[in-house]
């Protein structure tokens, strides 16, 4: 009963954006105490400090690790440095999932980093699934204002019972608010945190046009400043148990502050290249949780009038090559 009461108090405060947090006041966890290897044999390497990890993709295999615990809500973060040079087809993922526990109705919150050909930048794709709703893609894609291969940058997920916020270097880039119309599509079951690098040649770069070229292998992704700050689910009591000091470290507000919302709007205006809410080739009517921003819609229509304006695509010959889609329902653009 005490555990449940503590959790309810925590979540009453954790209902909005983390305000004024930095990595300096959040606990950094070591690999040994918080994670275990998922796959990849020797392609996973933990540095001597115990808090930095290297994942490698080569011709043999990719690699990955997963948190020891399941979590129901929290703040999850890592500083990541992506592979440089030719990286087409390479996917680096930092995400939450319970697919191993709920095979047919799993939840997911995704950061996926999609490699590219030489001279083209990496792209970020964010997505969420709830209750196995993989037939409804809720992807957004964006470019970055820096080169993610030159240095470490912080990528974070804030997940509460009411909303999900994605951050890059403490700048909110996407907010998903829970609405009654979403029903079970909003992630609501305990999840583990996963970090992987793998071969996504069939879809990741230009719909599979450019695949992984192992002439440029090994592809190395580096991780540090690993933060697991939330409510781990006790395997016996089946109740979330919040980190000691979580309330002290994290102050939550009901809404994103005006200054942070302004930063998010600037980011989306300059760097967002795709949003499912405006995709008229997939959804003739936007999904019910979408709040359409007229300026955002107009900018995307100019960027891609076929996808975002519903204009039929013209074909120069009788041959038609349809978009390839991932088996989980994600459409590559």
């Amino acid at each position: 009963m005490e555990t449940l009461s503590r959790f309810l108090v925590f979540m009453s405060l954790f209902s909005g954006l983390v305000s004024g947090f930095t990595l300096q006041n959040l606990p950094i966890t070591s690999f040994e105490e918080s994670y275990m290897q998922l796959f990849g044999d020797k392609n996973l390497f933990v540095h001597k400090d115990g808090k930095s990890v290297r994942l490698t993709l080569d011709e043999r295999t990719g690699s990955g690790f997963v948190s020891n615990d399941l979590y129901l809500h929290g703040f999850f973060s890592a500083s990541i440095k992506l592979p440089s040079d030719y990286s087409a087809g390479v996917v680096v993922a930092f995400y939450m999932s319970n697919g191993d526990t709920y095979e047919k109705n799993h939840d997911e919150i995704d950061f996926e980093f999609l490699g590219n050909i030489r001279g083209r930048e990496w792209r970020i794709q964010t997505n969420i699934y709830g209750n196995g709703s993989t037939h409804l893609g809720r992807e957004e894609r964006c470019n970055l204002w820096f080169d993610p291969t030159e240095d470490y940058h912080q990528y974070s997920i804030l997940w509460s019972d009411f909303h999900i916020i994605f951050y890059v270097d403490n700048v909110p880039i996407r907010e998903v608010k829970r609405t009654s119309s979403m029903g079970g599509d909003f992630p609501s079951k305990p999840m583990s945190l996963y970090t992987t690098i793998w071969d996504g040649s069939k879809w990741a770069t230009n719909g599979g046009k450019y695949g992984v070229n192992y002439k440029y292998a090994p592809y190395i992704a580096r991780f540090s400043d690993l933060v697991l700050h939330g409510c781990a689910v006790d395997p016996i009591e089946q109740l979330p148990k919040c980190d000691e000091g979580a309330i002290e470290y994290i102050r939550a507000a009901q809404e994103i502050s005006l200054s942070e919302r302004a930063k998010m709007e600037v980011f989306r205006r300059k760097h967002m290249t795709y949003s499912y809410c405006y995709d008229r080739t997939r959804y003739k009517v936007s999904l019910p949780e979408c709040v359409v921003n007229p300026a955002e819609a107009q900018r995307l229509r100019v960027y891609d009038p076929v996808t975002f304006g519903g204009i039929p695509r013209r074909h120069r010959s009788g041959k038609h090559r349809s978009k390839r889609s991932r088996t989980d329902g994600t459409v590559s653009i």
Side-chain angles (χ1 to χ4, degrees), residues 183-202:
D185 289 358
F186 189 91
S188 58
K189 297 187 291 294
M191 293 189 281
S192 300
L193 181 71
Y194 292 81
T195 304
T196 59
I197 184 171
W198 50 284
D199 186 329
S201 292
K202 293 183 178 180

Side-chain angles (χ1 to χ4, degrees), residues 199-210:
D199 186 329
S201 292
K202 293 183 178 180
W203 69 275
T205 308
N206 286 30
K209 181 178 180 180
Y210 303 103

Side-chain angles (χ1 to χ4, degrees), residues 30-58 60-68 93 193-198 218-223 226:
S30 70
F31 184 88
E32 184 177 353
E33 69 177 313
S34 300
Y35 300 92
M36 59 184 172
Q37 184 164 2
L38 184 64
F39 70 102
D41 190 27
K42 295 181 180 179
N43 280 10
L44 182 150
F45 176 78
V46 180
H47 291 266
K48 291 182 179 180
D49 65 3
K51 296 181 179 181
S52 302
V53 184
R54 186 180 71 207
L55 294 182
T56 298
L57 168 67
D58 57 26
R60 296 184 307 107
T61 182
S63 51
F65 57 93
V66 59
S67 63
N68 292 330
L193 181 71
Y194 292 81
T195 304
T196 59
I197 184 171
W198 50 284
Y219 297 98
I220 299 174
R222 305 175 190 275
F223 303 82
L226 303 170

Side-chain angles (χ1 to χ4, degrees), residues 158-216:
L158 172 65
W159 171 40
S160 79
D161 193 38
F162 306 102
H163 66 286
I164 297 164
I165 303 175
F166 297 88
Y167 300 90
V168 176
D169 285 345
N170 291 334
V171 175
I173 66 167
R174 180 183 181 184
E175 179 184 27
V176 181
K177 290 186 176 182
R178 186 175 195 167
T179 64
S180 58
S181 60
M182 292 183 73
D185 289 358
F186 189 91
S188 58
K189 297 187 291 294
M191 293 189 281
S192 300
L193 181 71
Y194 292 81
T195 304
T196 59
I197 184 171
W198 50 284
D199 186 329
S201 292
K202 293 183 178 180
W203 69 275
T205 308
N206 286 30
K209 181 178 180 180
Y210 303 103
V212 175
N213 186 337
Y214 286 101
K215 180 178 75 172
Y216 299 99

Side-chain angles (χ1 to χ4, degrees), residues 50 66 79 91 98 103 113 128 143 176 182 198 214 218 266 307 317:
V66 59
S79 292
V91 178
N98 49 30
E103 293 184 7
F113 305 89
I128 69 162
N143 300 319
V176 181
M182 292 183 73
W198 50 284
Y214 286 101
V266 169
T307 300
S317 67

